[in-house]
Amino acid sequence: MPIADDVTDGTDVLANGVSLKAGRLKTSPIGDIVTDDSLPEAEDEDKLSIPVINIAGFSADGDDTSIRRRKIVSEITHACETWGIFQIINHGVPQQLVNDVRKQAHEFFSLPPEIKERIRVETQKLSESNNYHQQGFLRKPADPMNTSWREDLAYSSSWNKTKSMIERAWLDTSASTVETAHEYLKSKDDFGMKLLEILAEGLGLDSGFFLQNLCHVRTSEKPYYWRVNFYPPCQHTEQTIGIPPHTDPCILTLLSQRNVSGLQVMKGDRYVDVLPTPGALVVNVGDLLEAWSNGRFQSAVHRVVVSTKQERVSWAFLMFPPHSFVVEAPEQLIDDEHPHLFKPLNHVDMLRALYEGLQVALKSGDTRKLLPKVLFYELARLNKSVEIDS
Ligand SMILES: O=C(O)CCC(=O)C(=O)O
Ligand SMILES: [Fe+2]
């Protein structure tokens, strides 16, 4: 279905009860950022800035006692506990690679609609999740979950399967393009591994805790999900949203965004912009890491708003555990004050249950279950009486 201005009737509030006007976009220090003055200003700018953490000089085999290393571990741990989202600079993913992939994404989304339509049909025939989607829809009361103004190119699973999907989807691209995409994925993977080491250390676990548990099977199985999101400008921003509020159902998401804002994270009862910072990667704690850390780290509720003026592109790299791996909080994180919060989770079963739960909620009109985290907590949390913060 083409992206079109096929305005439909609807109210100002999305299916999940969140009004688009609750958030705002503001100017970034790097300029060239979409602004929307009709949205309310934040009350306390200082307190409501997403942490930007510089990890220059962090080395995996560095001296554990170095002040610099401890500072980085403590900043990242604090950000995961309080925000569930933060930006990292000097992460080691080469800027040239980011620029190359950005250029390729732009070229892909600029292809004529009939070519993209062919790619959509071909990739969706091959796979339900590894494909090119178009979700350029304004709100339709009969199908509220379909409110999303976005195209995306998504791949998951093993490197080989991913590679063939990239090749099939990017029919008109050269072999070097595919190589660049792979180098980029590999580079983000390396950074993700480094981050997992920092996170384990921050929780007081052996620094290899997450890596050991993920790596022993990782050589044959790489269950990643890579999504390149494209948000065309939209003249009816009050009637749609780039991505509705959600949490990512993974361990970590590593995201690059161009210098157009739009990503917002929920903090308390309001949304705060994740302003594009030159060279930074955005890191999101996913639901599985929240469960694995026994609730110490919080998965971030986030959404994307669209602009009337500028297109936006982002690249989300979602890290999952191997299919057969069961995520369970380690005993070091459980005591009388911190009781076991989540059931053991196999992420494939969890995703299936979430999806099925969503379908049931949609059919029954139970909109509370469409709120981010509500279904996840219902499925996975042992102590259901805990307040859901979204
Ligand atoms: O476009 C963005 O900044 C965020 C994308 C996102 O939340 C996702 O792909 O899960
Ligand atoms: Fe997300």
Side-chain angles (χ1 to χ4, degrees), residues 150 227 229 231 243 246 248 255 257 263 284 302 304 312 314 316 318:
R150 175 170 70 114
R227 190 161 44 217
N229 299 299
Y231 309 91
I243 304 189
H246 67 284
D248 293 344
L255 181 116
Q257 55 177 340
L263 175 61
N284 265 335
H302 56 287
V304 176
R312 178 167 185 275
S314 72
L318 282 72

PDB file of all heavy atoms in Angstrom, residues 150 227 229 231 243 246 248 255 257 263 284 302 304 312 314 316 318, ligand 1:
ATOM      1  N   ARG A 150       5.443   4.843   8.637  1.00  0.00           N
ATOM      2  CA  ARG A 150       6.809   4.343   8.606  1.00  0.00           C
ATOM      3  C   ARG A 150       6.962   3.296   7.517  1.00  0.00           C
ATOM      4  O   ARG A 150       6.031   2.545   7.227  1.00  0.00           O
ATOM      5  CB  ARG A 150       7.088   3.697   9.966  1.00  0.00           C
ATOM      6  CG  ARG A 150       8.401   3.004  10.131  1.00  0.00           C
ATOM      7  CD  ARG A 150       8.586   2.663  11.595  1.00  0.00           C
ATOM      8  NE  ARG A 150       7.687   1.615  12.046  1.00  0.00           N
ATOM      9  CZ  ARG A 150       8.083   0.402  12.449  1.00  0.00           C
ATOM     10  NH1 ARG A 150       9.353   0.093  12.462  1.00  0.00           N
ATOM     11  NH2 ARG A 150       7.210  -0.484  12.857  1.00  0.00           N
ATOM     12  N   ARG A 227      16.537  -3.443  12.032  1.00  0.00           N
ATOM     13  CA  ARG A 227      15.433  -2.751  11.393  1.00  0.00           C
ATOM     14  C   ARG A 227      15.902  -1.368  10.970  1.00  0.00           C
ATOM     15  O   ARG A 227      16.391  -0.595  11.793  1.00  0.00           O
ATOM     16  CB  ARG A 227      14.292  -2.641  12.397  1.00  0.00           C
ATOM     17  CG  ARG A 227      13.006  -2.158  11.796  1.00  0.00           C
ATOM     18  CD  ARG A 227      11.784  -2.464  12.632  1.00  0.00           C
ATOM     19  NE  ARG A 227      11.962  -2.204  14.040  1.00  0.00           N
ATOM     20  CZ  ARG A 227      11.444  -2.954  15.001  1.00  0.00           C
ATOM     21  NH1 ARG A 227      10.752  -4.024  14.707  1.00  0.00           N
ATOM     22  NH2 ARG A 227      11.621  -2.643  16.263  1.00  0.00           N
ATOM     23  N   ASN A 229      14.505   1.990   9.829  1.00  0.00           N
ATOM     24  CA  ASN A 229      13.212   2.681   9.830  1.00  0.00           C
ATOM     25  C   ASN A 229      13.300   3.952   9.008  1.00  0.00           C
ATOM     26  O   ASN A 229      14.276   4.697   9.109  1.00  0.00           O
ATOM     27  CB  ASN A 229      12.831   3.091  11.264  1.00  0.00           C
ATOM     28  CG  ASN A 229      12.680   1.910  12.191  1.00  0.00           C
ATOM     29  OD1 ASN A 229      11.841   1.045  11.963  1.00  0.00           O
ATOM     30  ND2 ASN A 229      13.498   1.851  13.233  1.00  0.00           N
ATOM     31  N   TYR A 231      10.882   7.335   8.168  1.00  0.00           N
ATOM     32  CA  TYR A 231       9.642   8.048   8.485  1.00  0.00           C
ATOM     33  C   TYR A 231       9.513   9.207   7.510  1.00  0.00           C
ATOM     34  O   TYR A 231      10.194  10.231   7.674  1.00  0.00           O
ATOM     35  CB  TYR A 231       9.688   8.607   9.908  1.00  0.00           C
ATOM     36  CG  TYR A 231      10.068   7.569  10.960  1.00  0.00           C
ATOM     37  CD1 TYR A 231      11.406   7.375  11.326  1.00  0.00           C
ATOM     38  CD2 TYR A 231       9.098   6.797  11.581  1.00  0.00           C
ATOM     39  CE1 TYR A 231      11.761   6.432  12.279  1.00  0.00           C
ATOM     40  CE2 TYR A 231       9.450   5.855  12.538  1.00  0.00           C
ATOM     41  CZ  TYR A 231      10.777   5.677  12.879  1.00  0.00           C
ATOM     42  OH  TYR A 231      11.117   4.746  13.824  1.00  0.00           O
ATOM     43  N   ILE A 243       6.178   5.385  15.352  1.00  0.00           N
ATOM     44  CA  ILE A 243       6.004   4.081  16.034  1.00  0.00           C
ATOM     45  C   ILE A 243       5.260   4.372  17.334  1.00  0.00           C
ATOM     46  O   ILE A 243       5.691   5.226  18.114  1.00  0.00           O
ATOM     47  CB  ILE A 243       7.340   3.398  16.400  1.00  0.00           C
ATOM     48  CG1 ILE A 243       8.228   3.203  15.175  1.00  0.00           C
ATOM     49  CG2 ILE A 243       7.092   2.049  17.060  1.00  0.00           C
ATOM     50  CD1 ILE A 243       9.460   2.353  15.433  1.00  0.00           C
ATOM     51  N   HIS A 246       6.144   1.720  22.892  1.00  0.00           N
ATOM     52  CA  HIS A 246       6.438   0.292  23.063  1.00  0.00           C
ATOM     53  C   HIS A 246       7.736   0.138  23.841  1.00  0.00           C
ATOM     54  O   HIS A 246       8.465   1.111  24.032  1.00  0.00           O
ATOM     55  CB  HIS A 246       6.573  -0.401  21.695  1.00  0.00           C
ATOM     56  CG  HIS A 246       7.771   0.070  20.913  1.00  0.00           C
ATOM     57  ND1 HIS A 246       7.799   1.278  20.260  1.00  0.00           N
ATOM     58  CD2 HIS A 246       8.991  -0.491  20.701  1.00  0.00           C
ATOM     59  CE1 HIS A 246       8.964   1.438  19.660  1.00  0.00           C
ATOM     60  NE2 HIS A 246       9.724   0.376  19.921  1.00  0.00           N
ATOM     61  N   ASP A 248      11.220  -2.549  23.663  1.00  0.00           N
ATOM     62  CA  ASP A 248      11.790  -3.525  22.736  1.00  0.00           C
ATOM     63  C   ASP A 248      11.879  -4.871  23.457  1.00  0.00           C
ATOM     64  O   ASP A 248      12.376  -4.937  24.583  1.00  0.00           O
ATOM     65  CB  ASP A 248      13.170  -3.058  22.259  1.00  0.00           C
ATOM     66  CG  ASP A 248      13.082  -1.811  21.386  1.00  0.00           C
ATOM     67  OD1 ASP A 248      11.970  -1.495  20.916  1.00  0.00           O
ATOM     68  OD2 ASP A 248      14.117  -1.158  21.179  1.00  0.00           O
ATOM     69  N   LEU A 255      20.938   1.770  18.543  1.00  0.00           N
ATOM     70  CA  LEU A 255      20.257   2.513  17.489  1.00  0.00           C
ATOM     71  C   LEU A 255      21.080   3.713  17.019  1.00  0.00           C
ATOM     72  O   LEU A 255      21.614   4.459  17.828  1.00  0.00           O
ATOM     73  CB  LEU A 255      18.914   2.999  18.043  1.00  0.00           C
ATOM     74  CG  LEU A 255      18.047   3.782  17.068  1.00  0.00           C
ATOM     75  CD1 LEU A 255      16.753   3.019  16.796  1.00  0.00           C
ATOM     76  CD2 LEU A 255      17.701   5.158  17.583  1.00  0.00           C
ATOM     77  N   GLN A 257      20.615   7.194  14.845  1.00  0.00           N
ATOM     78  CA  GLN A 257      19.579   8.040  14.259  1.00  0.00           C
ATOM     79  C   GLN A 257      20.259   9.170  13.499  1.00  0.00           C
ATOM     80  O   GLN A 257      21.348   9.593  13.853  1.00  0.00           O
ATOM     81  CB  GLN A 257      18.631   8.589  15.324  1.00  0.00           C
ATOM     82  CG  GLN A 257      19.291   9.348  16.461  1.00  0.00           C
ATOM     83  CD  GLN A 257      18.273   9.919  17.452  1.00  0.00           C
ATOM     84  OE1 GLN A 257      17.117  10.074  17.153  1.00  0.00           O
ATOM     85  NE2 GLN A 257      18.744  10.240  18.655  1.00  0.00           N
ATOM     86  N   LEU A 263      12.526  10.561  18.161  1.00  0.00           N
ATOM     87  CA  LEU A 263      12.488   9.508  19.183  1.00  0.00           C
ATOM     88  C   LEU A 263      12.250  10.164  20.552  1.00  0.00           C
ATOM     89  O   LEU A 263      12.898  11.141  20.897  1.00  0.00           O
ATOM     90  CB  LEU A 263      13.821   8.747  19.179  1.00  0.00           C
ATOM     91  CG  LEU A 263      14.018   7.693  20.257  1.00  0.00           C
ATOM     92  CD1 LEU A 263      12.967   6.579  20.176  1.00  0.00           C
ATOM     93  CD2 LEU A 263      15.425   7.071  20.150  1.00  0.00           C
ATOM     94  N   ASN A 284      19.042   1.100  24.216  1.00  0.00           N
ATOM     95  CA  ASN A 284      17.787   0.847  24.930  1.00  0.00           C
ATOM     96  C   ASN A 284      17.903  -0.443  25.714  1.00  0.00           C
ATOM     97  O   ASN A 284      18.292  -1.469  25.145  1.00  0.00           O
ATOM     98  CB  ASN A 284      16.691   0.496  23.910  1.00  0.00           C
ATOM     99  CG  ASN A 284      15.868   1.647  23.501  1.00  0.00           C
ATOM    100  OD1 ASN A 284      15.738   2.603  24.227  1.00  0.00           O
ATOM    101  ND2 ASN A 284      15.296   1.547  22.320  1.00  0.00           N
ATOM    102  N   HIS A 302       9.263   3.834  24.699  1.00  0.00           N
ATOM    103  CA  HIS A 302       9.616   4.891  23.753  1.00  0.00           C
ATOM    104  C   HIS A 302       8.672   4.886  22.564  1.00  0.00           C
ATOM    105  O   HIS A 302       7.952   3.918  22.331  1.00  0.00           O
ATOM    106  CB  HIS A 302      11.076   4.753  23.311  1.00  0.00           C
ATOM    107  CG  HIS A 302      11.411   3.414  22.713  1.00  0.00           C
ATOM    108  ND1 HIS A 302      11.528   2.259  23.455  1.00  0.00           N
ATOM    109  CD2 HIS A 302      11.648   3.046  21.427  1.00  0.00           C
ATOM    110  CE1 HIS A 302      11.821   1.255  22.667  1.00  0.00           C
ATOM    111  NE2 HIS A 302      11.899   1.696  21.414  1.00  0.00           N
ATOM    112  N   VAL A 304       8.070   7.141  18.467  1.00  0.00           N
ATOM    113  CA  VAL A 304       8.652   8.079  17.502  1.00  0.00           C
ATOM    114  C   VAL A 304       7.520   8.953  16.961  1.00  0.00           C
ATOM    115  O   VAL A 304       6.478   8.429  16.552  1.00  0.00           O
ATOM    116  CB  VAL A 304       9.346   7.327  16.339  1.00  0.00           C
ATOM    117  CG1 VAL A 304       9.871   8.311  15.295  1.00  0.00           C
ATOM    118  CG2 VAL A 304      10.492   6.467  16.871  1.00  0.00           C
ATOM    119  N   ARG A 312      12.937  11.106   8.371  1.00  0.00           N
ATOM    120  CA  ARG A 312      13.860  10.655   9.410  1.00  0.00           C
ATOM    121  C   ARG A 312      14.222   9.203   9.128  1.00  0.00           C
ATOM    122  O   ARG A 312      13.371   8.430   8.669  1.00  0.00           O
ATOM    123  CB  ARG A 312      13.170  10.775  10.771  1.00  0.00           C
ATOM    124  CG  ARG A 312      13.991  10.309  11.922  1.00  0.00           C
ATOM    125  CD  ARG A 312      13.379  10.737  13.259  1.00  0.00           C
ATOM    126  NE  ARG A 312      14.297  10.346  14.301  1.00  0.00           N
ATOM    127  CZ  ARG A 312      14.316   9.130  14.834  1.00  0.00           C
ATOM    128  NH1 ARG A 312      13.456   8.222  14.473  1.00  0.00           N
ATOM    129  NH2 ARG A 312      15.207   8.837  15.754  1.00  0.00           N
ATOM    130  N   SER A 314      16.343   5.776  10.916  1.00  0.00           N
ATOM    131  CA  SER A 314      17.064   5.213  12.065  1.00  0.00           C
ATOM    132  C   SER A 314      17.363   3.747  11.793  1.00  0.00           C
ATOM    133  O   SER A 314      16.695   3.116  10.974  1.00  0.00           O
ATOM    134  CB  SER A 314      16.231   5.354  13.347  1.00  0.00           C
ATOM    135  OG  SER A 314      15.135   4.457  13.308  1.00  0.00           O
ATOM    136  N   ALA A 316      17.908   0.267  13.894  1.00  0.00           N
ATOM    137  CA  ALA A 316      17.826  -0.377  15.209  1.00  0.00           C
ATOM    138  C   ALA A 316      18.389  -1.790  15.099  1.00  0.00           C
ATOM    139  O   ALA A 316      17.997  -2.558  14.226  1.00  0.00           O
ATOM    140  CB  ALA A 316      16.380  -0.424  15.663  1.00  0.00           C
ATOM    141  N   LEU A 318      18.604  -5.037  17.275  1.00  0.00           N
ATOM    142  CA  LEU A 318      18.070  -5.639  18.498  1.00  0.00           C
ATOM    143  C   LEU A 318      18.813  -6.937  18.791  1.00  0.00           C
ATOM    144  O   LEU A 318      18.849  -7.835  17.942  1.00  0.00           O
ATOM    145  CB  LEU A 318      16.563  -5.930  18.357  1.00  0.00           C
ATOM    146  CG  LEU A 318      15.600  -4.747  18.510  1.00  0.00           C
ATOM    147  CD1 LEU A 318      15.658  -3.798  17.313  1.00  0.00           C
ATOM    148  CD2 LEU A 318      14.169  -5.225  18.697  1.00  0.00           C
TER     149      LEU A 318
HETATM  150  O1  LIG B   1      13.352   5.325  15.012  1.00  0.00           O
HETATM  151  C1  LIG B   1      13.695   5.306  16.171  1.00  0.00           C
HETATM  152  O2  LIG B   1      14.410   6.194  16.672  1.00  0.00           O
HETATM  153  C2  LIG B   1      13.253   4.208  17.109  1.00  0.00           C
HETATM  154  C3  LIG B   1      12.891   2.934  16.424  1.00  0.00           C
HETATM  155  C4  LIG B   1      12.373   1.909  17.374  1.00  0.00           C
HETATM  156  O3  LIG B   1      11.943   2.174  18.468  1.00  0.00           O
HETATM  157  C5  LIG B   1      12.390   0.498  16.956  1.00  0.00           C
HETATM  158  O4  LIG B   1      12.748   0.204  15.788  1.00  0.00           O
HETATM  159  O5  LIG B   1      12.051  -0.359  17.817  1.00  0.00           O
END
